[in-house]
Amino acid sequence: MNAHVKIGQEIARQRSLPEIVAEYEAKAQAISDGLRACGKANLDLQTTATLAGVYGDTHLDFKLPSERELHAHLLKSAWLHAYAGVQHRHPLVADR
């Protein structure tokens, strides 16, 4: 049976638990690389906003989420996806 879960306005195929775990582990490993890339892009953008290395009299704040926050968000996303699949396969029915 192909279970589907509605995410926003799109329908996503409900993955099996091993598929969810594999995707979670791959994305968890990619978080550090993504943060490094964002940090470099941040520095490049700030450098682009200067002339001859002279900073303007303003503070440019490009706050990135922490690695811990991103891991927590990913974990919550994985659990919610897994739970949605269980609910879809075994909906709770209220007794009357």
Side-chain angles (χ1 to χ4, degrees), residues 28-94:
Q29 290 179 352
I31 286 176
S32 294
D33 293 338
L35 279 173
R36 269 193 298 281
C38 284
K40 182 181 179 331
N42 181 357
L43 183 59
D44 291 348
L45 187 56
Q46 288 187 45
T47 301
T48 300
T50 64
L51 187 64
V54 178
Y55 286 92
D57 193 20
T58 57
H59 175 72
L60 301 175
D61 186 17
F62 294 94
K63 183 184 178 307
L64 295 174
S66 71
E67 188 166 345
R68 182 176 180 219
E69 288 173 311
L70 290 171
H71 279 283
H73 181 80
L74 177 61
L75 182 60
K76 183 176 182 179
S77 176
W79 273 108
L80 288 172
H81 183 71
Y83 181 73
V86 169
Q87 289 295 91
H88 181 76
R89 288 187 194 104
H90 306 287
L92 299 176
V93 178

